């Protein structure tokens, strides 16, 4: 309710892990994106990343201002920790993975400088680690092996990551689109053409081939995605199987009064649809 709070206007894109070794009141760690305004020169929110803890996974309490590295309740990571002095930027879309006693955080990052941040310095998926969920060490910002080219501005966003301990393998699904990749989707609202899959043996260096097909690609004829796809997926593991949740735009079974913004202008009857994709589930 505090209108001056850094996360007053937006609290979204949560990710949660359970740590049985953590203190009883901090067994569940939630990271989330928050904002309280629009980023200068752009239409998106001025995102940073916050943390909250829970004993039962139901009631979460933000990290206190006294514990926060920034002196603000909840706030634990912002672009000032990854960009050079004199620049600005955002961090958002956190994804947590717990390996041993170390939290690994993968997230979208964007840095820029100049009037209204007109010059983009970097864009991509970044990686940080922590042992307490509050104080984070940047490992890579952005991860170079996930860039489409040598340019630091050629990265992707909104990662979903799992660690397969049985096979000592990391897997990541991420959006990495050019603007032209989504122009044929009728609805225009934070679209994606699909997600690529990257793999790693150490969580540091990743293998991905953007010349190959996406692991999941938009299929207009499929129920639940006839009008396009919303950016981001979430993947869970069950043994060798994988379950992916993703959101599409659709015009089937639309309740009265529900509309979506069209790329050509105006709106049309439509809904967000939660979709499921699976691979090798037991």
């Amino acid at each position: 309710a505090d209108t001056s709070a850094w996360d007053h206007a937006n609290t979204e894109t949560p990710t949660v892990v359970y740590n049985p070794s953590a203190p009883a009141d901090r067994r569940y760690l939630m990271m989330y994106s928050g904002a309280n305004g629009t980023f200068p020169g752009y239409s998106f929110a001025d995102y940073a990343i916050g943390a909250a803890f829970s004993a039962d996974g139901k009631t979460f309490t933000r990290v206190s201002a006294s514990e926060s590295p920034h002196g603000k309740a909840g706030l634990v990571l912002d672009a000032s920790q990854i960009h050079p002095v004199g620049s600005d930027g955002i961090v958002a879309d956190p994804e947590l993975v717990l390996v041993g006693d170390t939290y690994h955080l993968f997230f979208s990052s964007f840095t820029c400088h100049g009037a209204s941040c007109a010059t983009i310095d970097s864009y991509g998926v970044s990686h940080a680690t922590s042992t307490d969920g509050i104080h984070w060490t940047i490992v890579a910002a952005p991860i170079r092996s996930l860039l489409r080219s040598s340019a630091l501005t050629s990265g992707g966003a909104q990662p979903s990551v799992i660690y397969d301990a049985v096979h000592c393998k990391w897997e990541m699904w991420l959006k990495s689109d050019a603007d032209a990749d989504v122009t044929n989707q009728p609805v225009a609202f934070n679209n994606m053409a699909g997600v690529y899959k990257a793999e790693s043996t150490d969580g540091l260096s990743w293998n991905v081939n953007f010349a190959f097909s996406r692991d999941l690609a938009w299929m207009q004829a499929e129920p639940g995605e006839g009008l396009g796809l919303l950016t981001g997926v979430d993947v869970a593991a069950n043994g060798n199987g994988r379950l992916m949740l993703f959101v599409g735009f659709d015009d089937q079974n639309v309740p009265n009064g529900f509309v979506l913004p069209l790329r050509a202008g105006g709106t049309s009857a439509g809904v967000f649809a939660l979709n499921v994709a699976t691979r090798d589930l037991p």
Side-chain angles (χ1 to χ4, degrees), residues 85-145:
V85 174
S87 297
D88 204 345
I90 64 169
V91 293
D93 311 316
E95 172 77 341
L96 275 172
V97 181
L98 179 66
V99 180
D101 294 324
T102 300
Y103 296 107
H104 292 261
L105 184 68
F106 298 89
F107 55 96
S108 306
S109 65
F110 168 92
T111 63
C112 57
H113 72 276
S116 297
C117 249
T119 301
I120 299 174
D121 295 317
S122 68
Y123 171 76
V125 173
S126 294
H127 179 196
T129 59
S130 174
T131 56
D132 62 6
I134 301 173
H135 303 91
W136 292 89
T137 299
I138 302 300
V139 177
I143 300 171
R144 283 7 182 216
S145 51

Side-chain angles (χ1 to χ4, degrees), residues 173 194-197 212-217 244 279:
W173 289 262
V195 288
Y196 291 95
K197 182 184 178 185
F212 289 176
S213 299
R214 292 171 172 83
D215 207 42
L216 178 85
M244 176 186 291
R279 176 183 292 143

Side-chain angles (χ1 to χ4, degrees), residues 109-264:
S109 65
F110 168 92
T111 63
C112 57
H113 72 276
S116 297
C117 249
T119 301
I120 299 174
D121 295 317
S122 68
Y123 171 76
V125 173
S126 294
H127 179 196
T129 59
S130 174
T131 56
D132 62 6
I134 301 173
H135 303 91
W136 292 89
T137 299
I138 302 300
V139 177
I143 300 171
R144 283 7 182 216
S145 51
L146 294 175
L147 300 174
R148 280 180 170 269
S149 70
S150 59
L152 292 181
T153 58
S154 64
Q158 289 200 270
S160 179
V161 182
I162 60 174
Y163 175 65
D164 184 343
V166 174
H167 299 97
C168 299
K169 179 176 67 173
W170 296 74
E171 296 173 276
M172 177 189 296
W173 289 262
L174 72 157
K175 167 194 172 180
S176 185
D177 295 334
D179 291 341
D181 292 341
V182 297
T183 54
N184 57 341
Q185 295 185 11
V187 164
F189 183 82
N190 199 17
N191 301 68
M192 71 171 183
V195 288
Y196 291 95
K197 182 184 178 185
E199 295 187 351
S200 174
T201 57
D202 58 9
L204 303 175
S205 179
W206 294 82
N207 295 309
V208 60
N209 192 330
F210 295 114
F212 289 176
S213 299
R214 292 171 172 83
D215 207 42
L216 178 85
W218 178 51
M219 297 183 67
Q220 189 170 15
E222 288 292 320
E225 54 185 285
L227 300 178
L229 292 180
L230 179 70
T231 291
V233 303
D234 195 23
V235 180
N238 185 352
N240 291 324
R242 304 291 181 261
L243 183 145
M244 176 186 291
L245 299 177
F246 63 102
V247 174
F249 308 121
D250 200 21
D251 58 2
Q252 304 299 307
N253 304 309
V254 180
N256 185 43
F258 280 61
V259 297
L260 293 172
L262 293 176
R263 190 173 303 279

Side-chain angles (χ1 to χ4, degrees), residues 37-81:
T38 302
F39 192 74
Y42 296 87
S43 60
F44 50 74
D46 191 7
Y47 290 110
I49 293 177
F53 290 103
S54 173
D56 58 9
K58 300 176 182 178
T59 302
F60 284 82
T61 302
R62 287 173 173 80
V63 170
S64 68
S66 61
E67 285 188 287
S68 163
H70 302 275
K72 300 178 181 180
L75 182 60
V76 296
L77 184 67
D78 69 11
S80 70
Q81 291 160 260

Side-chain angles (χ1 to χ4, degrees), residues 1-9 36 73:
D2 181 2
T3 58
S4 65
W6 70 275
D7 56 355
H8 170 72
N36 193 13

